[in-house]
Amino acid sequence: MIIFGTKGYLYQLAILTLVCGRCGNPAAHTLRKRVTKFTLFFVPLFPFSTKYATQCTFCGAEQKVTREQAEQLQAQAQAPDGQGYGQPHQRQPYQS
């Protein structure tokens, strides 16, 4: 008997101040990375899906972004010119 499946991990990469495309408010947006890994006997072996998205903290709207866009937004959050606020988060992932 072989037990296999998937497990999802959610990483919060940064918090940015952006204008929401849905509600039009300048609000904080979280930049998140969702990684789905293949598991064998409940041990995560390798990632087979990685997706990036931003979520508005005002209305909750989520917008998918490409890896390149996510890297640019993360660099913007680290920029010393004050465009984004806060520091990127290097925390343990949320598991789903």
Side-chain angles (χ1 to χ4, degrees):
M1 180 201 270
I2 297 175
I3 301 172
F4 64 93
T6 63
K7 188 170 189 174
Y9 297 90
L10 185 63
Y11 299 92
Q12 183 171 317
L13 302 175
I15 299 176
L16 303 150
T17 301
L18 302 170
V19 176
C20 181
R22 183 171 136 199
C23 66
N25 289 313
H29 284 67
T30 56
L31 176 62
R32 296 180 178 165
K33 173 178 155 181
R34 179 176 300 274
V35 179
T36 305
K37 294 186 178 184
F38 176 78
T39 61
L40 184 64
F41 294 105
F42 307 105
V43 177
L45 296 178
F46 58 88
F48 70 88
S49 173
T50 302
K51 297 179 183 177
Y52 296 89
T54 60
Q55 185 174 18
C56 177
T57 58
F58 187 79
C59 69
E62 190 170 332
Q63 180 179 349
K64 293 180 182 178
V65 295
T66 64
R67 185 175 133 228
E68 292 79 19
Q69 290 172 329
E71 289 172 355
Q72 289 175 353
L73 288 171
Q74 195 171 7
Q76 178 182 344
Q78 295 174 347
D81 61 358
Q83 290 289 339
Y85 80 94
Q87 295 295 321
H89 297 277
Q90 299 296 330
R91 297 184 182 166
Q92 293 296 319
Y94 300 107
Q95 297 179 3
S96 59

